Protein backbone atom coordinates (compact mmCIF):
# COMPACT_ATOMS: atom_id res chain seq x y z
CA UNK A 1 0.00 0.00 0.00
CA UNK A 2 1.45 3.30 -1.04
CA UNK A 3 1.74 6.02 1.58
CA UNK A 4 2.08 8.96 -0.81
CA UNK A 5 -0.42 11.67 0.07
CA UNK A 6 -1.95 13.59 -2.82
CA UNK A 7 -3.29 17.06 -2.25
CA UNK A 8 -6.92 17.76 -3.15
CA UNK A 9 -5.91 20.64 -5.38
CA UNK A 10 -4.85 19.96 -8.96
CA UNK A 11 -6.08 16.38 -9.14
CA UNK A 12 -8.82 14.65 -11.12
CA UNK A 13 -10.63 11.36 -10.57
CA UNK A 14 -12.09 9.46 -13.51
CA UNK A 15 -15.16 7.23 -13.39
CA UNK A 16 -17.21 5.40 -15.97
CA UNK A 17 -18.81 2.16 -16.98
CA UNK A 18 -17.35 -1.15 -18.01
CA UNK A 19 -17.58 -2.13 -21.70
CA UNK A 20 -20.87 -4.05 -21.33
CA UNK A 21 -22.71 -0.76 -20.64
CA UNK A 22 -21.76 0.67 -24.04
CA UNK A 23 -23.47 -0.09 -27.33
CA UNK A 24 -20.07 -1.11 -28.80
CA UNK A 25 -19.26 -3.47 -25.92
CA UNK A 26 -15.69 -4.74 -26.10
CA UNK A 27 -15.14 -3.55 -29.70
CA UNK A 28 -12.59 -0.79 -29.16
CA UNK A 29 -12.25 -0.33 -32.93
CA UNK A 30 -15.85 0.94 -33.08
CA UNK A 31 -15.93 4.62 -34.13
CA UNK A 32 -17.92 5.56 -31.01
CA UNK A 33 -15.30 3.99 -28.72
CA UNK A 34 -12.56 5.81 -30.64
CA UNK A 35 -14.49 9.06 -30.27
CA UNK A 36 -14.87 8.46 -26.53
CA UNK A 37 -11.12 7.95 -26.15
CA UNK A 38 -10.45 11.15 -28.12
CA UNK A 39 -12.97 13.00 -25.94
CA UNK A 40 -11.24 11.77 -22.76
CA UNK A 41 -7.86 12.83 -24.12
CA UNK A 42 -9.18 16.31 -24.94
CA UNK A 43 -10.67 16.72 -21.44
CA UNK A 44 -7.34 15.68 -19.91
CA UNK A 45 -5.56 18.29 -22.04
CA UNK A 46 -8.00 20.99 -20.96
CA UNK A 47 -7.63 20.12 -17.26
CA UNK A 48 -3.84 20.10 -17.59
CA UNK A 49 -3.51 23.27 -19.67
CA UNK A 50 -6.29 25.42 -18.18
CA UNK A 51 -6.84 24.11 -14.64
CA UNK A 52 -3.26 22.99 -13.87
CA UNK A 53 -4.37 19.45 -13.00
CA UNK A 54 -1.31 17.22 -12.79
CA UNK A 55 -2.51 14.13 -10.91
CA UNK A 56 -5.12 11.77 -12.35
CA UNK A 57 -6.70 8.91 -10.42
CA UNK A 58 -7.98 5.93 -12.43
CA UNK A 59 -9.66 2.81 -11.08
CA UNK A 60 -8.05 0.09 -13.18
CA UNK A 61 -11.24 -1.70 -14.27
CA UNK A 62 -12.02 -2.64 -17.86
CA UNK A 63 -13.78 0.08 -19.80
CA UNK A 64 -13.48 3.77 -18.96
CA UNK A 65 -10.86 3.24 -16.24
CA UNK A 66 -8.54 1.39 -18.58
CA UNK A 67 -9.18 3.66 -21.57
CA UNK A 68 -8.57 6.76 -19.45
CA UNK A 69 -5.35 5.33 -18.04
CA UNK A 70 -4.06 4.44 -21.49
CA UNK A 71 -5.00 7.87 -22.89
CA UNK A 72 -3.17 9.52 -19.98
CA UNK A 73 -0.06 7.45 -20.75
CA UNK A 74 -0.31 8.63 -24.37
CA UNK A 75 -0.68 12.25 -23.27
CA UNK A 76 2.17 12.06 -20.75
CA UNK A 77 4.50 10.89 -23.57
CA UNK A 78 3.86 14.14 -25.45
CA UNK A 79 5.99 17.25 -25.07
CA UNK A 80 4.61 19.57 -22.40
CA UNK A 81 2.73 16.84 -20.54
CA UNK A 82 5.61 14.98 -18.91
CA UNK A 83 4.52 16.32 -15.49
CA UNK A 84 1.28 14.28 -15.48
CA UNK A 85 1.08 11.84 -12.60
CA UNK A 86 -1.09 8.75 -13.04
CA UNK A 87 -2.29 6.93 -9.94
CA UNK A 88 -4.07 3.59 -10.38
CA UNK A 89 -6.40 2.89 -7.45
CA UNK A 90 -7.57 -0.71 -7.21
CA UNK A 91 -10.20 -1.91 -4.73
CA UNK A 92 -8.21 -5.04 -3.78
CA UNK A 93 -5.64 -7.43 -5.16
CA UNK A 94 -7.50 -10.22 -6.91
CA UNK A 95 -6.12 -13.66 -6.24
CA UNK A 96 -5.71 -15.79 -9.38
CA UNK A 97 -8.42 -18.25 -8.33
CA UNK A 98 -10.80 -15.43 -7.44
CA UNK A 99 -10.55 -13.36 -10.58
CA UNK A 100 -13.96 -13.01 -12.13
CA UNK A 101 -13.82 -13.39 -15.91
CA UNK A 102 -10.63 -11.39 -16.25
CA UNK A 103 -9.01 -12.50 -19.46
CA UNK A 104 -5.24 -12.72 -19.76
CA UNK A 105 -5.21 -9.76 -22.16
CA UNK A 106 -7.13 -7.60 -19.69
CA UNK A 107 -4.88 -8.65 -16.83
CA UNK A 108 -1.87 -7.78 -19.01
CA UNK A 109 -3.31 -4.32 -19.78
CA UNK A 110 -3.86 -3.59 -16.09
CA UNK A 111 -0.35 -4.79 -15.24
CA UNK A 112 1.11 -2.56 -17.98
CA UNK A 113 -0.94 0.42 -16.77
CA UNK A 114 0.23 -0.07 -13.18
CA UNK A 115 3.86 -0.51 -14.27
CA UNK A 116 3.74 2.74 -16.25
CA UNK A 117 1.77 4.73 -13.67
CA UNK A 118 3.52 6.92 -11.13
CA UNK A 119 1.85 5.07 -8.28
CA UNK A 120 -0.73 2.44 -7.46
CA UNK A 121 -2.86 2.20 -4.37
CA UNK A 122 -4.68 -0.86 -3.04
CA UNK A 123 -7.70 0.11 -0.96
CA UNK A 124 -8.46 -3.14 0.83
CA UNK A 125 -6.91 -6.53 1.51
CA UNK A 126 -10.30 -8.23 1.34
CA UNK A 127 -12.10 -8.81 -1.95
CA UNK A 128 -15.61 -7.63 -1.17
CA UNK A 129 -18.16 -5.41 -2.89
CA UNK A 130 -17.68 -2.53 -0.43
CA UNK A 131 -14.07 -2.19 -1.62
CA UNK A 132 -15.29 -0.77 -4.95
CA UNK A 133 -17.24 1.98 -3.19
CA UNK A 134 -14.27 2.73 -0.93
CA UNK A 135 -12.02 2.95 -4.01
CA UNK A 136 -14.39 5.35 -5.76
CA UNK A 137 -14.79 7.57 -2.70
CA UNK A 138 -11.02 7.59 -2.13
CA UNK A 139 -10.46 8.94 -5.64
CA UNK A 140 -13.12 11.65 -5.24
CA UNK A 141 -11.82 12.62 -1.78
CA UNK A 142 -8.32 13.12 -3.18
CA UNK A 143 -9.35 15.15 -6.23
CA UNK A 144 -10.84 18.54 -6.97
CA UNK A 145 -12.22 17.44 -10.36
CA UNK A 146 -14.16 14.45 -11.62
CA UNK A 147 -14.58 13.28 -15.19
CA UNK A 148 -17.45 10.83 -15.53
CA UNK A 149 -18.53 8.93 -18.61
CA UNK A 150 -22.13 8.71 -17.57
CA UNK A 151 -25.68 9.25 -18.81
CA UNK A 152 -27.18 11.25 -15.98
CA UNK A 153 -30.67 10.81 -17.45
CA UNK A 154 -30.94 7.04 -17.06
CA UNK A 155 -30.63 7.04 -13.25
CA UNK A 156 -28.96 3.67 -13.38
CA UNK A 157 -27.80 2.09 -10.15
CA UNK A 158 -24.10 1.68 -10.65
CA UNK A 159 -20.76 2.49 -9.13
CA UNK A 160 -20.41 5.28 -11.68
CA UNK A 161 -23.73 6.86 -10.64
CA UNK A 162 -22.77 6.50 -6.98
CA UNK A 163 -19.39 8.14 -7.62
CA UNK A 164 -20.87 11.06 -9.59
CA UNK A 165 -23.50 11.66 -6.88
CA UNK A 166 -20.86 11.50 -4.15
CA UNK A 167 -18.71 14.03 -6.04
CA UNK A 168 -21.73 16.33 -6.43
CA UNK A 169 -22.38 16.20 -2.69
CA UNK A 170 -18.69 16.90 -2.02
CA UNK A 171 -18.81 20.01 -4.23
CA UNK A 172 -16.32 18.74 -6.80
CA UNK A 173 -16.08 20.22 -10.28
CA UNK A 174 -17.63 17.59 -12.55
CA UNK A 175 -17.44 17.06 -16.28
CA UNK A 176 -19.79 14.43 -17.67
CA UNK A 177 -19.31 12.80 -21.05
CA UNK A 178 -22.48 11.17 -22.37
CA UNK A 179 -21.63 7.57 -23.35
CA UNK A 180 -23.81 7.58 -26.49
CA UNK A 181 -23.47 11.13 -27.86
CA UNK A 182 -20.15 12.29 -26.31
CA UNK A 183 -21.97 15.49 -25.32
CA UNK A 184 -20.09 17.21 -22.51
CA UNK A 185 -21.99 18.74 -19.61
CA UNK A 186 -20.98 20.19 -16.26
CA UNK A 187 -23.65 19.68 -13.58
CA UNK A 188 -23.80 22.35 -10.88
CA UNK A 189 -23.07 21.17 -7.32
Amino acid sequence: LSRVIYMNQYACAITGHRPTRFCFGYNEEDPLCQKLKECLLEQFRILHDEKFVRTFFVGGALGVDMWAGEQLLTLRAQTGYEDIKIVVVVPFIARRQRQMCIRDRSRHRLKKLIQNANDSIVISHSADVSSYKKRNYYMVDHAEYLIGVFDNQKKLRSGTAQTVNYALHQGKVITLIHPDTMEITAPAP
Side-chain angles (χ1 to χ4, degrees):
L1 178 65
S2 174
R3 297 287 179 208
V4 177
I5 298 177
Y6 295 91
M7 301 303 293
N8 286 343
Q9 201 172 17
Y10 308 119
C12 176
I14 298 118
T15 189
H17 298 299
R18 290 186 171 82
T20 54
R21 290 300 263 282
F22 294 96
C23 61
F24 50 81
Y26 288 89
N27 180 9
E28 293 185 44
E29 300 306 314
D30 185 280
L32 191 58
C33 185
Q34 293 297 313
K35 187 173 179 184
L36 173 58
K37 290 178 181 182
E38 290 168 15
C39 196
L40 284 166
L41 189 63
E42 182 59 25
Q43 291 307 304
F44 299 151
R45 277 194 186 103
I46 290 168
L47 285 173
H48 181 276
D49 297 348
E50 298 176 15
K51 304 298 182 186
F52 306 102
V53 171
R54 297 299 182 261
T55 302
F56 292 85
F57 293 95
V58 296
L62 284 177
V64 172
D65 290 355
M66 189 67 62
W67 303 329
E70 291 169 347
Q71 292 302 312
L72 284 163
L73 288 172
T74 298
L75 185 60
R76 189 176 68 188
Q78 296 175 10
T79 303
Y81 295 97
E82 302 92 343
D83 57 350
I84 286 177
K85 291 175 181 58
I86 303 164
V87 181
V88 181
V89 185
V90 294
F92 50 81
I93 297 174
R95 305 288 177 245
R96 195 166 197 88
Q97 65 273 18
R98 285 184 164 168
Q99 289 175 339
M100 301 176 295
C101 303
I102 297 178
R103 298 183 193 111
D104 285 340
R105 182 172 177 264
S106 302
R107 197 168 32 247
H108 175 73
R109 282 175 84 175
L110 177 58
K111 183 178 179 182
K112 184 177 176 185
L113 178 59
I114 289 172
Q115 287 173 340
N116 290 289
N118 297 82
D119 199 7
S120 61
I121 297 168
V122 179
I123 295 298
S124 176
H125 294 290
S126 60
D128 59 63
V129 177
S130 69
S131 298
Y132 292 99
K133 181 178 176 180
K134 289 175 189 171
R135 184 261 325 260
N136 294 339
Y137 284 19
Y138 176 93
M139 293 192 307
V140 170
D141 289 342
H142 288 80
E144 191 61 32
Y145 296 87
L146 176 78
I147 292 178
V149 179
F150 178 63
D151 177 358
N152 207 18
Q153 304 303 312
K154 291 182 180 176
K155 305 293 183 199
L156 296 171
R157 284 183 48 108
S158 68
T160 300
Q162 190 177 60
T163 305
V164 169
N165 287 328
Y166 180 70
L168 276 169
H169 286 98
Q170 297 301 312
K172 305 297 179 172
V173 178
I174 300 172
T175 300
L176 295 180
I177 302 170
H178 192 287
D180 299 325
T181 65
M182 302 308 141
E183 179 186 2
I184 295 172
T185 57

